Amino acid sequence: MPKHLFILFLFLSLGLTAQIKVNGTIVDDTGEPVPFANIIFEGSTYGTISDENGKFYLASEEDHEQLEVSFVGFETQLVPLDGITTNLRIVLEEGRDQLKEVRVYSGKIDKKNNPAIDILRKIWSKKRKNGLNMYDRYEFDRYEKIEFDLNNIDENLMDKKIFDGMEMVFDQIDTSKITGKVYLPIFINESVYKTYGKNIFPRKRNSVMVANKNSGYSDNQALISFLKQLYVDFDIYDNYLLFFDKKFSSPLSKLGPEVYNYVLTDSSFIDNKWCYNILFYPRRKNELTFKGDFWVSDTTFAIKEIQMYATKNANVNWVKDIYIEQEFDVLNDSVFLLKRDYIMTDFALNQKDKSKGVYGKRTTLFDRHIFNVKRPDEFYKEQIQDNELMYNQSDEFWEQNRQEELSKNEIGIYQMLDTLQNVKRFQQINTIGEILASGYWNFSKGWDFGPVFSTIGYNDIEGLRLKAGARTYWSQNDKWRVKGYLAYGFMDAKFKYGVEGKYLFKGQDRWILSLGTRKDIEQLGVSLTTANEVLERSFATTSIFTRGDNSKLSNIDLTNLKVSFEPAKNLDLRVGTTFKTLESADPEKFNVDYIDENGDIQSSIEQVDVSFAVQYTPNRKSYGFGVERSVSNEGRYPTFFFSYTKGLKGVFNSDFDYHKLQFFYEQPIQLGLFGKLRSTFEIGKTFNPVPLQLLNIVPGNQTFFTSKKLFDLLDYYEFVTDEYVSLHLEHNFNGKIFAKIPFIRDLQWREIIGIRGVVGGISQANRDINASDVIYVAPENIYWEYHFGIGNIFKLLRVDFEYRGSYRDLPGATNFAVKVGFGFYF
């Protein structure tokens, strides 16, 4: 989640040097900026592109005498250089177009008779014949380095009291050769992988982490997990490139000519290969596009080098700049392999040039390729990794396996953070950042307090509720963990509690034993699919801002024993048993009585269940090997969940014999430039008569906040079923429509539409035993509601306008509502 950036922004709110550094502005003879002009050091292939305002920065560790500046429709300018040259104003004069084949119309390049697009078509035709795709089997070593730096460092920042006692950190200051900004490295993470893949059916690829090393934050699981999800692997030849959960149009996409202008600007030998240089930039503003250039071979039409910048007006929160650079190695006359991949992102609270922010950098290098060596199938299957050694490799190992040496400043990060661990001010800042990121405060070695954000709550039964919780935490890879809490309601004057322990007793298949108990007040019926998690408690139970009556709460006394394991990666099997007692939290306000088999009225349930569940999350990437792991790509993979529950009548005086089947499927779908669709499908049935609290309640939402998997216009217990089918669809256009509306596009709002529906029934047998004050109504004719929303308001807020589509005439029905949501999103 982007909220983890607050660890880094917190520092802000409270050496290698290049021999040539050049910055300035490109303008035409009327003084208007020239965006996307091509700037290179004369006689080299190293250069950059001016931004939307004509500004540029370029640096090199080698001496260069002149700067060459060009753009279609203008005369090429040669600018003499003398050491560090700043604030240049370079005027391009209109002249004879050097590329006669390219026609220019109002700054856009004609797609017809364009040699650059002719070359692009040849790239498309041969992209599946390049690189790793040419071999049945392949394997290689991959080295990955992720670094975070504070940028725009100046004397005012250095003098702030927040850095008292930490002045030594400024010894590591450096200057970015991409942006020219002064930055301070603060974090580095290194990983070494061995990758095995095959292109023959079925295509598979497996990356095994061999080693991982962090500077100063080895136990900060939340931060490390966040860093891993920032950058995902991508193929520059794909039509769309996924960054920060958004799909950018690739400049090599077959749809590229619809969103990019292309210009053939140069040709030259690179590694003894004759290559063409093609400049590209977006045709329209406010789209997820790049500007930059690439060099492509004239025979294989494989990319040799590419550099590109995300356009300034791309609708991505907290991100000011994205820079990507890739280099490909020539293995032989016809094979180009990715050699180096570099991504730099400038995270900031606003888009101002002088605003302070955080650079996030990822450097990936590839080496030691081996082809067509047949391996057993196990090599190509993703395996569960349980290897503590990979987090504790020796310095000698890293010296041998780094594919490029650390710079002086990068080495200094390790030394600096080792020193800072003993500085009180740094410890205070780190503690605040960890609380914001994880919700826990490490108040003692091995013990965390939290979650801190659920300390205060309110409902109609307890009134004001205070809660104190804690967990054991020695490191991110603890084999066992205990969590618990104690709560008190000032209106009912009762204590509540919960405690759970988990133990990983076999790492390879992740065999985990869990035992927990909870005695508390709960809002039942806020989820169709249930999983008997001990310490999970619905937000509706403690929500301060609610509409209507919020007294339909239940007392729950639950004990659960469970064993889970993963026979294959991301396939989780669970077997457990639960003993629980259920009754109304206030019978005068909420009656849950039922008629037992003897015809007597009962007000409480004692129930023993056994359950079996399967959860499959393909493509989920987990981090760590302890009893609890972090997920580095949350929300980017599908989830399948199936459960079977059997009620055991007579066991420990259990009241009911029943069967319950449930299935849940959630699928996020990226739709290219049109945003992201999220779908949720649920189906279930309960066999044999059971009372209200064991039935399938269609989940309502009586808060003022929107929430996924709930029906925002339903009250609690408005619909009761013993069989149901539910579907939720929500699409976020990511600003695709608003980007075309003047003035509105500057707000970077995002359009959201959605629809939810459920159909279900309730048997006569279940109606017959009902003695509660809830009249059973099932959505037999499909209940549905729909909503339109505006998201990304102030980068944090969304507002939804909710409409009920059916059952509008029910007594007390809510047919329209405005709800809000909060979150940190890219």
Side-chain angles (χ1 to χ4, degrees):
M1 290 292 291
K3 67 180 180 181
H4 299 307
L5 286 174
F6 280 103
I7 299 176
L8 307 171
F9 286 140
L10 196 61
F11 284 90
L12 301 174
S13 61
L14 308 166
L16 294 173
T17 58
Q19 293 183 6
I20 297 291
K21 298 179 180 180
V22 188
N23 71 71
T25 305
I26 313 296
V27 298
D28 62 18
D29 51 12
T30 68
E32 289 296 314
V34 177
F36 314 123
N38 195 33
I39 306 110
I40 65 171
F41 291 116
E42 186 190 22
S44 76
T45 60
Y46 187 76
T48 187
I49 308 295
S50 63
D51 67 14
E52 289 86 340
N53 300 311
K55 295 182 179 180
F56 73 94
Y57 176 84
L58 187 60
S60 174
E61 297 174 19
E62 300 177 358
D63 286 324
H64 296 277
E65 295 182 355
Q66 294 192 98
L67 197 69
E68 182 179 305
V69 183
S70 62
F71 190 65
V72 176
F74 295 89
E75 293 284 355
T76 298
Q77 295 285 341
L78 295 178
V79 182
L81 298 175
D82 182 17
I84 299 177
T85 306
T86 60
N87 299 320
L88 287 176
R89 181 180 173 86
I90 301 174
V91 180
L92 295 183
E93 297 181 356
E94 292 188 11
R96 181 175 55 84
D97 191 348
Q98 304 269 331
L99 299 171
K100 296 182 179 180
E101 301 91 336
V102 181
R103 305 172 188 172
V104 182
Y105 298 96
S106 302
K108 291 186 178 181
I109 306 300
D110 187 11
K111 290 184 284 186
K112 295 181 179 180
N113 302 317
N114 185 339
I117 294 182
D118 292 339
I119 293 173
L120 199 61
R121 291 191 181 100
K122 294 180 180 179
I123 294 174
W124 300 336
S125 67
K126 294 193 175 186
K127 71 177 183 178
R128 294 304 174 195
K129 297 179 181 179
N130 286 326
L132 300 177
N133 295 306
M134 298 182 65
Y135 299 93
D136 290 344
R137 292 178 173 84
Y138 58 87
E139 48 192 87
F140 57 84
D141 292 347
R142 175 163 62 99
Y143 167 74
E144 180 183 270
K145 177 175 59 183
I146 295 177
E147 181 181 323
F148 267 37
D149 314 314
L150 305 182
N151 63 38
N152 267 337
I153 303 297
D154 55 24
E155 291 185 2
N156 290 331
L157 179 67
M158 295 185 204
D159 292 337
K160 288 185 178 295
K161 291 184 178 181
I162 192 173
F163 290 106
D164 288 350
M166 298 190 296
E167 291 82 1
M168 79 287 291
V169 302
F170 297 111
D171 294 339
Q172 309 301 326
I173 282 180
D174 203 347
T175 302
S176 170
K177 69 176 183 178
I178 307 299
T179 65
K181 295 180 182 179
V182 177
Y183 68 88
L184 173 66
I186 59 171
F187 176 86
I188 186 170
N189 172 275
E190 299 180 90
S191 300
V192 175
Y193 297 86
K194 184 68 177 179
T195 299
Y196 302 90
K198 62 175 186 174
N199 292 315
I200 56 177
F201 182 82
R203 294 172 64 102
K204 289 186 178 181
R205 180 165 170 161
N206 179 31
S207 289
V208 180
M209 182 184 288
V210 180
N212 184 270
K213 185 179 184 180
N214 301 292
S215 60
Y217 293 93
S218 59
D219 289 337
N220 193 324
Q221 189 173 8
L223 176 60
I224 294 169
S225 175
F226 169 64
L227 295 177
K228 290 294 182 181
Q229 68 174 300
L230 279 181
Y231 301 113
V232 297
D233 295 333
F234 65 94
D235 186 343
I236 195 66
Y237 289 97
D238 288 342
N239 286 332
Y240 299 104
L241 308 178
L242 184 66
F243 296 104
F244 309 110
D245 213 23
K246 291 178 173 53
K247 282 195 172 182
F248 287 72
S249 291
S250 170
L252 303 184
S253 166
K254 289 188 176 181
L255 299 176
E258 302 301 321
V259 293
Y260 287 105
N261 293 306
Y262 296 91
V263 183
L264 176 59
T265 64
D266 200 358
S267 57
S268 178
F269 279 104
I270 302 179
D271 292 338
N272 298 319
K273 293 291 183 182
W274 189 252
C275 297
Y276 298 114
N277 182 238
I278 294 179
L279 170 75
F280 56 88
Y281 58 94
R283 302 180 72 87
R284 292 173 293 275
K285 293 182 178 181
N286 287 79
E287 292 187 345
L288 296 174
T289 50
F290 297 95
K291 60 176 182 177
D293 71 301
F294 58 82
W295 289 88
V296 55
S297 165
D298 73 330
T299 53
T300 63
F301 292 95
I303 301 300
K304 184 67 178 70
E305 296 177 4
I306 185 169
Q307 64 169 350
M308 54 191 190
Y309 304 76
T311 53
K312 291 279 187 182
N313 45 29
N315 191 350
V316 183
N317 287 338
W318 321 109
V319 173
K320 187 158 56 175
D321 288 301
I322 303 174
Y323 172 76
I324 298 170
E325 184 181 285
Q326 287 192 336
E327 299 176 19
F328 293 79
D329 199 12
V330 183
L331 185 66
N332 53 47
D333 288 342
S334 60
V335 180
F336 284 63
L337 298 174
L338 182 59
K339 175 184 177 182
R340 187 175 188 271
D341 177 29
Y342 177 78
I343 305 176
M344 186 186 77
T345 306
D346 187 356
F347 299 100
L349 295 176
N350 60 62
Q351 298 289 326
K352 297 179 180 178
D353 285 340
K354 294 185 178 180
S355 64
K356 294 174 174 56
V358 177
Y359 286 144
K361 305 174 184 176
R362 187 187 76 170
T363 304
T364 310
L365 295 111
F366 306 83
D367 198 7
R368 299 167 188 158
H369 290 81
I370 300 174
F371 298 104
N372 291 337
V373 174
K374 190 172 183 178
R375 303 280 189 182
D377 288 343
E378 288 72 20
F379 276 78
Y380 306 106
K381 295 179 181 178
E382 288 190 283
Q383 304 290 330
I384 299 170
Q385 293 184 246
D386 178 34
N387 181 9
E388 190 168 356
L389 176 63
M390 65 185 179
Y391 295 98
N392 298 285
Q393 295 283 9
S394 65
D395 292 340
E396 291 76 12
F397 172 90
W398 286 103
E399 291 176 2
Q400 296 173 4
N401 287 275
R402 286 190 182 104
Q403 294 184 30
E404 70 175 14
E405 294 183 0
L406 294 180
S407 69
K408 178 181 177 181
N409 297 80
E410 290 169 339
I411 295 173
I413 299 176
Y414 284 108
Q415 298 170 345
M416 176 186 70
L417 287 172
D418 287 342
T419 302
L420 285 177
Q421 298 301 314
N422 299 316
V423 178
K424 185 175 181 180
R425 177 60 61 87
F426 178 81
Q427 293 171 350
Q428 293 170 343
I429 295 173
N430 190 47
T431 297
I432 295 172
E434 175 64 11
I435 291 173
L436 292 173
S438 69
Y440 283 90
W441 168 45
N442 182 238
F443 66 92
S444 178
K445 180 62 177 177
W447 288 94
D448 288 355
F449 173 85
V452 296
F453 302 118
S454 62
T455 301
I456 300 176
Y458 181 89
N459 59 62
D460 290 349
I461 301 299
E462 295 177 285
L464 176 65
R465 171 189 170 100
L466 297 181
K467 172 185 171 185
R471 70 175 182 180
T472 60
Y473 193 94
W474 277 269
S475 77
Q476 62 173 345
N477 294 314
D478 290 343
K479 297 293 185 181
W480 61 273
R481 183 153 295 151
V482 177
K483 297 180 180 180
Y485 71 88
L486 182 68
Y488 182 78
F490 285 84
M491 184 180 295
D492 65 354
K494 292 180 180 179
F495 282 98
K496 295 89 179 174
Y497 63 86
V499 62
E500 182 182 32
K502 297 180 179 180
Y503 174 54
L504 176 67
F505 61 90
K506 185 180 178 182
Q508 183 57 43
D509 294 325
R510 295 197 55 79
W511 285 85
I512 297 175
L513 176 67
S514 305
L515 176 64
T517 186
R518 172 163 60 103
K519 187 173 184 179
D520 207 338
I521 284 179
E522 181 68 273
Q523 178 66 66
L524 302 178
V526 292
S527 176
L528 278 172
T529 305
T530 57
N532 283 329
E533 296 296 334
V534 175
L535 295 186
E536 284 191 2
R537 195 165 182 266
S538 77
F539 77 99
T541 311
T542 56
S543 182
I544 296 175
F545 303 102
T546 60
R547 62 174 177 84
D549 180 19
N550 190 29
S551 62
K552 294 179 179 179
L553 300 171
S554 298
N555 286 327
I556 180 169
D557 188 349
L558 175 148
T559 299
N560 177 263
L561 174 66
K562 179 176 63 178
V563 175
S564 65
F565 71 103
E566 290 188 35
K569 188 172 183 178
N570 296 327
L571 178 64
D572 183 28
L573 306 184
R574 312 169 193 172
V575 178
T577 182
T578 302
F579 175 78
K580 56 189 174 186
T581 300
L582 301 171
E583 61 185 10
S584 172
D586 187 343
E588 294 183 1
K589 296 181 178 179
F590 179 43
N591 170 22
V592 294
D593 291 352
Y594 65 93
I595 302 172
D596 66 16
E597 58 187 3
N598 298 318
D600 297 326
I601 301 294
Q602 302 292 339
S603 58
S604 66
I605 303 170
E606 290 186 356
Q607 188 63 44
V608 175
D609 300 331
V610 293
S611 62
F612 170 74
V614 180
Q615 179 170 290
Y616 180 48
T617 51
N619 302 319
R620 183 184 65 180
K621 298 184 184 300
S622 299
Y623 187 79
F625 57 88
V627 68
E628 292 183 342
R629 293 183 297 177
S630 294
V631 176
S632 62
N633 60 337
E634 191 70 54
R636 299 174 185 170
Y637 53 85
T639 298
F640 301 86
F641 178 82
F642 169 80
S643 70
Y644 167 71
T645 303
K646 165 67 174 172
L648 303 177
K649 183 177 180 180
V651 177
F652 298 108
N653 297 316
S654 178
D655 291 325
F656 291 94
D657 180 12
Y658 69 94
H659 307 268
K660 179 177 288 189
L661 294 173
Q662 295 181 307
F663 175 75
F664 170 90
Y665 169 50
E666 185 175 60
Q667 176 72 62
I669 304 173
Q670 290 284 353
L671 297 177
L673 300 179
F674 296 96
K676 184 176 182 178
L677 173 68
R678 182 174 294 277
S679 61
T680 303
F681 173 76
E682 296 177 88
I683 185 171
K685 182 174 178 62
T686 300
F687 301 86
N688 298 347
V690 291
L692 176 65
Q693 291 167 309
L694 296 178
L695 287 170
N696 307 114
I697 314 300
V698 177
N701 181 6
Q702 291 184 207
T703 72
F704 296 132
F705 304 100
T706 186
S707 181
K708 66 177 184 178
K709 296 191 291 186
L710 303 184
F711 289 85
D712 282 342
L713 297 180
L714 287 183
D715 292 340
Y716 305 130
Y717 296 97
E718 188 167 343
F719 288 128
V720 180
T721 73
D722 54 27
E723 57 183 5
Y724 62 88
V725 177
S726 172
L727 179 65
H728 292 237
L729 298 173
E730 182 175 275
H731 184 72
N732 189 323
F733 288 92
N734 277 333
K736 179 70 174 179
I737 300 173
F738 288 154
K740 301 182 183 303
I741 305 175
F743 305 110
I744 296 293
R745 65 185 172 206
D746 295 332
L747 299 172
Q748 294 194 335
W749 288 350
R750 297 172 187 171
E751 321 83 347
I752 300 168
I753 61 172
I755 187 170
R756 315 177 185 99
V758 61
V759 60
I762 186 77
S763 68
Q764 188 60 47
N766 277 313
R767 295 179 188 272
D768 291 341
I769 68 170
N770 178 36
S772 71
D773 53 15
V774 175
I775 299 174
Y776 288 0
V777 177
E780 296 176 349
N781 297 317
I782 303 181
Y783 169 79
W784 61 283
E785 58 187 45
Y786 57 98
H787 61 277
F788 305 93
I790 300 174
N792 205 43
I793 302 173
F794 308 119
K795 298 184 180 181
L796 300 172
L797 176 69
R798 66 178 278 179
V799 177
D800 285 11
F801 302 90
E802 310 267 359
Y803 300 86
R804 183 182 284 224
S806 61
Y807 290 91
R808 297 175 58 88
D809 298 327
L810 289 179
T814 302
N815 292 322
F816 172 77
V818 178
K819 299 210 171 190
V820 299
F822 296 92
F824 296 93
Y825 304 102
F826 282 119

